[in-house]
Amino acid sequence: MSVRNNVIPWAPAALVVISLLTTGCAGHEDTASAPQATASASAPHGYVEGAQEKAEQQSRLLLNDPATGDTRVLDLITGTTHKVSRTTGTTGLTTDGRFGYFHTAGGTRVLDGGAWMVDHGDHVHYYSAAIRDVGRLPGGPGSRVRSDAAVTVVTDEEGRTRIYRRADLEKGKVGSGRTLPGTHAGAVVPYAEHLLGVTDDGKVAVYDREGRRAESPDEECENPRGDAVTRRGVVLGCADGALLVREDDGTFTAEKIPYGSDVAEAERATAFRHRPGSDTLTAPSGKRAAWVLNVGERTWTRVKTGSVVCANTAGEGSVLIVLETDGALHGYDIATGKKVSRTKRLLTGVPDAGREGSDAGPVIEVDRSRAYLNDPKGTRVYEIDYNDNLRIARTFALDVEPALMVETGR
């Protein structure tokens, strides 16, 4: 069911979409002041005060050891590791592409990786600036943080949601948030200058940036778990598959993408991973399979694998990359389900398959040319060329156990 909304939302804060780079030297704790993310009206096109424009995408890994609090930023362009202030007791680490969100019992620490990408549609700009701490957002373990160009939205474990201006984070401060009325099941997601959520009774809800209820598609998402923003819209994981919510000139529609057959609770997709910009999503499906959701084709594919620890893919036409409990990466042809590549054993002490609820441990991050796998026990990160039979392109030795890892700058 289509609906129409004509409420004028917040104007987007300066520039968005995200990337990264850092200045400084290894072992140095960089607390330099941050750049302002607003462009002067008289400045050249794409100018951002206090930042340097780069000719190519800048990528970094944010790494944390919850036990010791040791935190590092690994610059993937130079191979340099930057030491930043410690965060202990981290229960989860997430990112919106520029900022890292370290979830702890005392709130969510925000770290600006110091670089970002601005997409103008027909071209992009890449910027770098200093790494710096921004502050803490309220909300302990279980909080979910979602961002776009204008706002950062925090939904706590009880479903209460607060909205923060992204421009404040870009200036190095958290700022004061506004409360979104009611409670929601799952994360509230910024999209198309609006906010999307699922109410406690399973109804899709659309709000403007001031938190006012707008017209919403008449669809439900039972027991929502997992979400992803793609070029084709927002994907919400539901008990019976996925719900794709799209916007066109202010009109929001919702389309079911069912599994096609009955799926046990333990085998449903509950947390999506994908390459930013891709419309192909992955998720573990129980202990010995992985889901691949092709949003463009509206199809689910369940690929039978070995014991899955984590999975990801670069998108349609690329292999499904799976870390299995044998400590090796395995590549599967998504269309046929056939295994087409395998690395040697890379990790020891790999967690059991189906580690539900555990954020710490190995993950696979994928960008436009490489994949990255963290090895906590081995204190290193592997760079994988997924277009060359999962070849190990580089190995980064670290002085911390990178139990938590996200990639920024994409």
Side-chain angles (χ1 to χ4, degrees):
M1 174 179 171
S2 299
V3 295
R4 187 83 181 178
N5 176 59
N6 295 317
V7 179
I8 300 174
W10 274 3
L15 304 161
V16 250
V17 192
I18 336 178
S19 161
L20 103 102
L21 178 78
T22 312
T23 55
C25 48
H28 175 67
E29 187 168 319
D30 194 340
T31 57
S33 59
Q36 295 186 6
T38 27
S40 167
S42 60
H45 171 66
Y47 172 78
V48 176
E49 183 179 355
Q52 295 180 343
E53 186 165 4
K54 299 294 182 178
E56 62 179 351
Q57 177 176 305
Q58 309 297 304
S59 295
R60 290 179 181 170
L61 298 176
L62 308 186
L63 308 161
N64 175 259
D65 179 355
T68 65
D70 291 331
T71 305
R72 302 289 185 268
V73 178
L74 173 58
D75 188 327
L76 295 171
I77 303 299
T78 65
T80 303
T81 302
H82 301 264
K83 182 179 180 180
V84 296
S85 59
R86 299 166 68 245
T87 303
T88 56
T90 311
T91 58
L93 173 58
T94 57
T95 185
D96 56 18
R98 172 176 176 174
F99 297 95
Y101 300 99
F102 297 75
H103 304 274
T104 74
T108 299
R109 174 197 176 191
V110 184
L111 178 69
D112 186 347
W116 57 97
M117 178 179 71
V118 178
D119 190 348
H120 289 296
D122 59 343
H123 68 284
V124 296
H125 296 271
Y126 304 107
Y127 299 97
S128 69
I131 303 170
R132 45 71 189 285
D133 281 306
V134 175
R136 284 185 179 269
L137 293 166
S143 293
R144 291 142 294 188
V145 182
R146 304 291 185 265
S147 300
D148 70 356
V151 295
T152 293
V153 180
V154 182
T155 307
D156 68 19
E157 201 166 23
E158 286 72 42
R160 298 183 298 260
T161 301
R162 287 186 65 80
I163 309 164
Y164 298 85
R165 290 184 180 269
R166 187 175 177 86
D168 289 336
L169 299 185
E170 293 169 349
K171 294 175 182 177
K173 60 183 180 180
V174 168
S176 58
R178 293 179 297 105
T179 300
L180 187 68
T183 58
H184 297 82
V188 173
V189 181
Y191 169 67
E193 299 185 346
H194 288 75
L195 305 173
L196 302 181
V198 178
T199 59
D200 291 333
D201 60 358
K203 298 286 188 180
V204 174
V206 179
Y207 305 86
D208 68 20
R209 288 299 168 83
E210 297 298 332
R212 295 185 295 264
R213 190 72 177 260
E215 295 181 89
S216 305
D218 186 17
E219 286 288 355
E220 295 185 3
C221 180
E222 182 184 350
N223 190 18
R225 296 180 65 188
D227 56 87
V229 179
T230 74
R231 292 172 300 173
R232 299 181 186 272
V234 177
V235 175
L236 304 175
C238 310
D240 57 354
L243 187 68
L244 176 63
V245 182
R246 308 180 68 186
E247 181 271 346
D248 183 15
D249 194 26
T251 299
F252 287 84
T253 61
E255 178 182 356
K256 287 278 190 179
I257 308 178
Y259 287 122
S261 60
D262 291 337
V263 173
E265 172 69 19
E267 295 181 348
R268 62 170 287 198
T270 60
F272 297 111
R273 299 189 70 85
H274 69 303
R275 177 182 61 80
S278 168
D279 294 329
T280 304
L281 311 182
T282 66
S285 175
K287 295 185 177 182
R288 301 189 64 85
W291 286 112
V292 179
L293 172 59
N294 186 319
V295 181
E297 298 295 329
R298 312 292 199 270
T299 57
W300 289 93
T301 302
R302 190 170 187 264
V303 180
K304 294 182 179 180
T305 65
S307 297
V308 179
V309 178
C310 55
N312 209 336
T313 183
E316 190 174 2
S318 296
V319 296
L320 170 67
I321 310 170
V322 180
L323 174 67
E324 301 182 9
T325 51
D326 61 2
L329 289 176
H330 301 253
Y332 293 87
D333 182 284
I334 295 173
T336 66
K338 180 181 178 181
K339 185 185 294 186
V340 294
S341 52
R342 181 188 184 278
T343 68
K344 64 180 181 180
R345 184 179 185 181
L346 300 176
L347 275 65
T348 59
V350 180
D352 293 335
R355 50 192 176 102
E356 183 74 18
S358 175
D359 290 326
V363 296
I364 301 168
E365 293 281 359
V366 178
D367 61 28
R368 62 183 182 179
S369 62
R370 294 289 189 266
Y372 297 92
L373 172 68
N374 56 320
D375 178 7
K377 296 300 182 183
T379 62
R380 59 196 163 207
V381 170
Y382 293 102
E383 180 181 75
I384 313 296
D385 185 348
Y386 53 78
N387 290 314
D388 188 13
N389 295 314
L390 304 182
R391 176 178 60 88
I392 309 301
R394 292 186 290 178
T395 299
F396 299 99
L398 303 168
D399 61 348
V400 300
E401 293 190 12
L404 292 166
M405 179 181 80
V406 294
E407 183 177 357
T408 61
R410 298 174 296 180

